[in-house]
Amino acid sequence: MQKLKKTYKFAIRTSLFITIILTLLLSVFLYVVGALGWFVIPFALLSYLVCFAIIQYRVERFIYRRVKKIYDDLTLLESTSLTKQPITTDMATLTKEIDKYAKDKKLEIETLKVREEYRKEFLGNVSHELKTPLFTVQGYILTLLDGAMKDKKILKKYLSRANKGVERLIYIVKDLDMITKLEAGDLRLNMEVFNIVEVVQSVFDMLEMKAAKKEITLMFDLNYDEPVLVKADKERIQQVVTNLMVNSIKYGREKGTTEVSIENLIKNKIIIRVTDNGEGIGEEHISRIFERFYRVDKSGSRKEGGSGLGLSIVKHIIEAHEEKIYIESELGVGSEFSFSLEKAE
């Protein structure tokens, strides 16, 4: 049985109003008949008490029954915010509670709709990403089974292409597994002190040939003769730098540049910037650029490869370090991705 939170405002005001009217009418009547006296005051007090008792009892029972039904109906909707509170017969309070409940539920419904849309889009993207290499592998295998395997040259070529499709599938699954672990907090970070300049240089060396195919120059903004020591997971931060630079090369302009700069942010933080003069990203895509499988290019082309998870992994790794990642971009001008790291003491 829920506790009743009583309110006497209505009974007090209504009783006072009725008492004043009755007292005035009685006073006028007695004045006319010439019998007006002091006993009008006790009459007023008695009238007030009687009116208050009757009105409070009747109104409380009348409203309580109907208001309790509202609370019971909300209980069926699993409303914990209202059902834990005493039932109030104050309409103003009840209206505020119901209004707050309605707003909370509306926000909850809108959030669920957004999540449902994201879920559908995510499943569609996963299906699309996996479908392409799967069908490719299946196509080569079926061709070989139909008799092409008798030709050794075709056999070797098709098996090689099928293997590339399998490698792409493994690449996507590994990236998905990493994101899942990062989100669940199962991927432990191996924190250590290292020179971020050396990490960036090693990524330059690793991607030199990839950049050369588009004649893109990989460079620092200046010579870093002194080491810049940071405290983080070296392997994961190298993965972040690699993913950002691969993305920069992928969408970079031919004969363009990819520049890395390292700057002091605040006393115990530095910021690493990866800047290019490539295609740039439209403003409408900025807010979603770190979503899994989200692609600015909706044509569905996969000519540049990749799992579509690179930037999502970058964001999760940086957030796992309790740091921030930023993006600035303009169509036709280029993009700049930057992230903060803690300095080593």
Side-chain angles (χ1 to χ4, degrees):
M1 186 70 180
Q2 285 176 293
K3 184 181 176 183
L4 172 65
K5 181 183 176 184
K6 294 184 179 181
T7 178
Y8 300 100
K9 289 181 187 177
F10 180 80
I12 289 171
R13 292 173 182 175
T14 307
S15 300
L16 185 61
F17 180 73
I18 293 173
T19 300
I20 291 172
I21 298 297
L22 289 176
T23 304
L24 285 174
L25 290 173
L26 179 63
S27 298
V28 171
F29 174 75
L30 293 176
Y31 178 78
V32 171
V33 299
L36 184 62
W38 61 269
F39 55 84
V40 172
I41 296 175
F43 170 80
L45 291 174
L46 182 61
S47 297
Y48 179 80
L49 293 174
V50 171
C51 288
F52 177 82
I54 294 172
I55 291 169
Q56 179 64 24
Y57 175 76
R58 290 300 301 159
V59 169
E60 188 176 279
R61 281 183 60 85
F62 176 80
I63 296 176
Y64 179 76
R65 284 198 301 268
R66 284 153 182 77
V67 170
K68 187 174 185 304
K69 188 175 185 307
I70 295 174
Y71 278 81
D72 290 342
D73 290 341
L74 291 174
T75 303
L76 293 175
L77 295 173
E78 299 181 354
S79 169
T80 56
S81 59
L82 279 175
T83 53
K84 287 183 179 179
Q85 301 176 13
I87 293 178
T88 177
T89 57
D90 180 19
M91 289 296 101
T93 303
L94 179 63
T95 301
K96 287 180 182 178
E97 289 180 358
I98 297 295
D99 185 54
K100 183 179 182 301
Y101 169 79
K103 287 179 179 177
D104 289 344
K105 286 299 174 186
K106 184 179 178 183
L107 181 61
E108 185 179 331
I109 290 168
E110 289 175 351
T111 302
L112 288 173
K113 284 181 178 178
V114 170
R115 288 180 179 176
E116 178 63 14
E117 287 298 317
Y118 177 77
R119 184 188 69 83
K120 288 179 180 177
E121 187 174 344
F122 173 68
L123 289 175
N125 285 331
V126 171
S127 174
H128 184 80
E129 293 291 340
L130 296 177
K131 181 173 64 176
T132 303
L134 277 172
F135 285 176
T136 301
V137 172
Q138 184 186 44
Y140 288 129
I141 292 173
L142 287 175
T143 303
L144 292 174
L145 289 174
D146 285 341
M149 67 173 67
K150 294 178 182 179
D151 187 325
K152 289 185 178 181
K153 289 184 178 179
I154 293 178
L155 175 62
K156 185 177 181 180
K157 182 171 70 172
Y158 279 21
L159 285 177
S160 176
R161 290 179 179 178
N163 183 59
K164 286 182 179 179
V166 173
E167 285 178 353
R168 177 165 167 73
L169 283 170
I170 293 171
Y171 184 50
I172 293 170
V173 172
K174 280 184 176 179
D175 281 355
L176 275 173
D177 182 57
M178 177 174 289
I179 288 179
T180 303
K181 286 180 179 178
L182 283 165
E183 288 180 342
D186 294 336
L187 192 64
R188 294 183 180 179
L189 298 176
N190 180 27
M191 304 298 281
E192 59 180 302
V193 175
F194 60 92
N195 182 6
I196 188 65
V197 178
E198 288 182 354
V199 169
V200 175
Q201 186 59 58
S202 69
V203 175
F204 280 172
D205 296 340
M206 182 172 59
L207 298 177
E208 186 177 5
M209 290 183 65
K210 187 178 183 69
K213 289 180 181 179
K214 295 181 71 173
E215 298 184 56
I216 291 175
T217 304
L218 306 179
M219 56 187 287
F220 281 109
D221 64 321
L222 50 86
N223 292 324
Y224 292 94
D225 297 322
E226 297 295 326
V228 180
L229 301 178
V230 296
K231 187 177 181 180
D233 185 318
K234 184 176 180 180
E235 183 182 346
R236 300 302 172 199
I237 294 304
Q238 181 167 334
Q239 188 176 5
V240 167
V241 176
T242 302
N243 284 358
L244 290 178
M245 290 185 62
V246 165
N247 217 53
S248 175
I249 295 168
K250 185 188 298 184
Y251 299 106
R253 184 180 301 162
E254 288 195 14
K255 299 182 180 180
T257 60
T258 292
E259 182 181 88
V260 177
S261 62
I262 304 167
E263 304 169 15
N264 289 318
L265 187 60
I266 54 177
K267 184 178 179 181
N268 64 330
K269 300 280 186 183
I270 64 164
I271 188 164
I272 297 96
R273 305 181 190 276
V274 179
T275 310
D276 64 61
N277 56 356
E279 299 175 7
I281 303 166
E283 189 177 345
E284 68 276 14
H285 301 294
I286 296 292
S287 62
R288 301 190 61 190
I289 200 68
F290 293 108
E291 289 181 15
R292 303 181 210 181
F293 296 116
Y294 186 79
R295 292 181 185 270
V296 174
D297 179 14
K298 299 298 182 182
S299 65
S301 172
R302 296 295 181 268
K303 63 181 180 179
E304 296 289 354
S307 67
L309 296 166
L311 289 179
S312 184
I313 289 173
V314 164
K315 182 174 183 289
H316 280 88
I317 291 174
I318 295 302
E319 288 181 348
H321 282 80
E322 297 182 355
E323 300 291 347
K324 300 287 185 183
I325 185 163
Y326 311 93
I327 175 173
E328 291 182 16
S329 187
E330 186 177 343
L331 277 175
V333 177
S335 304
E336 179 183 280
F337 288 85
S338 57
F339 61 94
S340 59
L341 281 181
E342 183 182 348
K343 279 184 184 178
E345 295 181 359

